[in-house]
């Protein structure tokens, strides 16, 4: 057994044990869903960062840096920009509503604001779409294990699925928060240490980047192949209204904690965004002929830094993918148990019954994610679909619910339907590439806003007798 694989397996065992240990403090569904609303700024920022720095922001972003260059910054940078809005605009407002009405999921908020039908529609869409992002995390896990030990994709996905499902099912958000704190330290220490060592090993910055200097547009910060500022309308709104992130914010002890914890998460993301982009650039200088750009970071860690540091970096990658995967299980399990089971199938279900359904939902979700990952094409491509659908379906209803009092059930459903249909039509019609700066996500967001606005105006006109 290689030292890298031994370290990853040992680290996985540690995560499982820590999750089981902290689960002793979980006695109710409220503990499982929102950690009893007792997370401080440190734990909140750690669990948000661990959720945000996952497959897309490590293996995927480095792969984007490998193929597109410096403009890959915008993949993680857009998440940071969205997190700023979550910290100082949406997050505190939603937290106050959550604390006042004992809301545990985004579905709870949507039902409070728009009614059961909106909650049901969003819960179904969210459950199906969230399996896509779970598959992307498991693909990244399998890439790490493939490079380290030649483990086939399906087996690698299965190993990752077992690890994250075991410790999440034990304790929900509370277990995840403490496990995520450990994961975050390993992740940031590992990846930030790898960059200077890899550059030094390749003969310095000039030597490491020389093979990329002649590539047209490779060092353009603003735009690149599949990267650049055009990622902002797809990614930034998604990180303002992501159900997994909002539900973690519900676990804060007060609104000020939301501002500080989510704000710290945003600041770290904006700084960290440069790290995977540069790692991808350096990997291209070291291995210019990789068959798959998403192998860039695992290959750099395996072959171009000392064994001890490569092992730490690979454990950091494994940590990142597992921590984000547990955030996704959080969305799946809470959506199924609270939004669908308790509200539609068994309205009179006890807390203990809801908790049991949440845990079984996580197990089923993890298994389905493994199966879907076996056929997923790429990390970035898969994540783009997830973020796009989430943005065009949820952004307008969530924001309108906070600011437009007249918005009701029909307005919300119109926004969801118009946004999703417009995005799908433009995505299919352009092969997902858009037309110039006009991207499918922009079209979907505009259509969603127009759909809600038209219904509001129609309602207003009828009220005036027009």
């Amino acid at each position: 057994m290689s030292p890298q694989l031994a370290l990853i397996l040992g680290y996985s065992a540690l995560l499982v044990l820590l999750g089981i240990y902290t689960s002793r403090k979980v006695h109710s569904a409220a503990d499982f869903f929102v950690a009893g609303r007792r997370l401080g700024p440190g734990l909140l920022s750690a669990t948000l960062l661990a959720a945000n720095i996952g497959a897309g922001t490590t293996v995927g972003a480095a792969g984007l840096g490998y193929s597109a260059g410096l403009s890959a910054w915008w993949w993680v940078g857009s998440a940071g920009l969205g997190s700023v809005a979550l910290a100082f605009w949406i997050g505190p407002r939603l937290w106050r509503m959550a604390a006042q009405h004992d809301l545990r999921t985004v579905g709870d908020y949507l039902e409070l604001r728009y009614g059961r039908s909106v909650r049901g529609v969003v819960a179904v869409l969210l459950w199906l779409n969230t399996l896509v992002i779970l598959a992307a995390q498991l693909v990244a896990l399998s890439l790490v294990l493939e490079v380290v030990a030649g483990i086939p994709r399906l087996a690698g996905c299965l190993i990752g699925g077992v690890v994250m499902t075991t410790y999440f099912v034990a304790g929900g958000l509370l277990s995840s928060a403490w496990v995520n704190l450990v994961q975050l330290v390993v992740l940031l220490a590992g990846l930030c240490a790898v960059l200077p060592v890899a550059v030094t090993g390749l003969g310095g910055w000039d030597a490491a980047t020389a093979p990329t200097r002649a590539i047209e547009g490779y060092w353009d910060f603003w735009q690149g192949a599949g990267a650049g500022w055009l990622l902002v309308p797809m990614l930034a709104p998604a990180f303002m209204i992501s159900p997994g992130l909002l539900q973690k914010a519900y676990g804060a002890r007060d609104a000020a904690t939301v501002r500080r914890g989510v704000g710290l998460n945003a600041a770290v993301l904006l700084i960290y965004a440069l790290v995977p982009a540069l790692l991808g650039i350096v990997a291209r200088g070291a291995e210019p002929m990789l068959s798959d750009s998403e192998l860039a970071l695992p290959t750099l860690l395996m072959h171009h830094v000392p064994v001890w540091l490569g092992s730490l970096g690979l454990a950091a990658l494994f940590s990142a993918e597992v921590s984000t995967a547990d955030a996704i299980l959080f969305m799946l399990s809470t959506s199924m148990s609270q939004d669908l089971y308790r509200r539609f199938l068994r309205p009179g279900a006890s807390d203990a019954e809801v908790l049991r359904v949440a845990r079984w939902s996580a197990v089923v979700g993890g298994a389905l994610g493994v199966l879907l990952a076996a056929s997923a094409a790429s990390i970035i491509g898969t994540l783009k679909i997830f973020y796009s659908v989430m943005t065009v379906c949820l952004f307008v209803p969530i924001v309108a619910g906070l600011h437009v009092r007249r918005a009701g059930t029909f307005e919300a459903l119109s926004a969801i339907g118009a946004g999703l249909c417009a995005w799908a039509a433009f995505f299919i019609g352009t092969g997902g590439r858009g037309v110039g700066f006009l991207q499918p996500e922009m079209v979907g967001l505009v259509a969603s806003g127009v759909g809600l606005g038209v219904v509001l105006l129609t309602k207003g006109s009828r009220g005036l007798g027009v």
Side-chain angles (χ1 to χ4, degrees), residues 22 101 173 234 303:
T22 55
H101 298 283
L173 180 56
M234 176 180 68
H303 301 296

Side-chain angles (χ1 to χ4, degrees), residues 349-376:
S350 66
D351 252 21
E353 190 175 353
V354 171
L355 180 58
R356 183 168 61 252
V357 171
R359 284 173 163 150
W360 276 110
S361 298
V363 172
V364 173
L368 291 175
V370 169
L371 294 176
L372 188 58
S375 59

Side-chain angles (χ1 to χ4, degrees), residues 216-238:
E216 184 178 357
Y218 197 76
W219 288 89
D220 185 339
F221 175 73
W222 297 99
Q223 58 185 353
W229 69 269
L230 288 175
L231 292 171
V232 174
M234 176 180 68
L235 293 174

Side-chain angles (χ1 to χ4, degrees), residues 355-446:
L355 180 58
R356 183 168 61 252
V357 171
R359 284 173 163 150
W360 276 110
S361 298
V363 172
V364 173
L368 291 175
V370 169
L371 294 176
L372 188 58
S375 59
S378 72
I379 296 169
I380 292 295
T382 303
L383 289 176
K384 282 184 175 180
I385 294 174
F386 168 79
Y387 289 130
S388 297
V389 172
M390 186 166 62
T391 294
V392 300
C393 287
L394 289 181
F395 184 78
V396 170
I398 287 178
V399 173
L402 295 174
H403 298 287
V404 184
R405 291 185 179 181
R406 291 173 53 219
T409 302
F410 193 49
E411 286 84 354
L413 291 175
S414 298
I416 294 169
L420 189 59
C421 291
W423 169 81
F426 201 69
F427 183 90
I428 294 170
T430 64
R433 293 182 296 273
V435 178
F437 73 90
L438 197 60
Q439 298 297 301
E441 300 76 34
M442 298 181 190
V443 173
L445 274 175
V446 171

Side-chain angles (χ1 to χ4, degrees), residues 37 101 152 162 432 456-457:
R37 302 195 204 280
H101 298 283
V162 169
L456 275 177
L457 290 174

Side-chain angles (χ1 to χ4, degrees), residues 34-67:
V34 294
R37 302 195 204 280
R38 55 179 182 266
L39 297 182
L43 269 184
L44 179 60
S45 63
T47 193
L48 287 169
L49 279 168
N52 287 331
I53 302 178
T57 50
T58 54
V59 175
L64 199 57
Y66 184 94
S67 60

Side-chain angles (χ1 to χ4, degrees), residues 54-235:
T57 50
T58 54
V59 175
L64 199 57
Y66 184 94
S67 60
L70 194 59
S71 58
W73 180 90
W74 290 92
W75 181 265
V76 184
S78 297
L81 295 174
S83 296
V84 171
L86 176 59
F88 299 104
W89 171 30
I90 295 175
R93 288 172 177 264
L94 278 178
W95 184 90
R96 293 188 187 97
M97 293 183 69
Q100 180 181 355
H101 298 283
D102 191 27
L103 308 182
R104 300 174 184 179
T105 69
V106 172
D108 286 342
Y109 162 74
L110 292 172
E111 180 174 353
L112 175 71
R113 190 61 187 77
Y114 298 115
R116 291 180 67 197
S117 58
V118 175
R119 179 189 193 130
V121 168
V122 170
V124 172
L125 287 172
L126 182 64
W127 223 86
L128 296 175
N129 193 43
T130 301
L131 287 173
V132 174
I133 192 174
L134 180 57
Q137 309 305 319
L138 294 173
V139 168
L141 280 168
S142 70
L143 287 174
V144 172
L145 295 175
E146 178 185 342
V147 170
V148 170
I151 296 175
R153 173 183 283 197
L154 181 57
C157 292
L158 184 59
I159 292 171
V162 169
V163 172
M164 55 96 178
T165 302
T166 301
Y167 78 73
F168 174 78
V169 167
L173 180 56
L174 189 60
S175 287
S176 292
W178 282 105
V179 172
N180 290 163
L181 184 60
V182 174
Q183 291 168 325
L184 185 64
V185 171
V186 174
L187 170 67
L188 294 180
L191 293 186
C192 290
V194 162
L195 183 59
V197 173
V199 169
T200 300
L202 292 170
W205 179 252
D206 290 339
T209 59
T212 65
R213 292 292 176 181
I215 303 175
E216 184 178 357
Y218 197 76
W219 288 89
D220 185 339
F221 175 73
W222 297 99
Q223 58 185 353
W229 69 269
L230 288 175
L231 292 171
V232 174
M234 176 180 68
L235 293 174

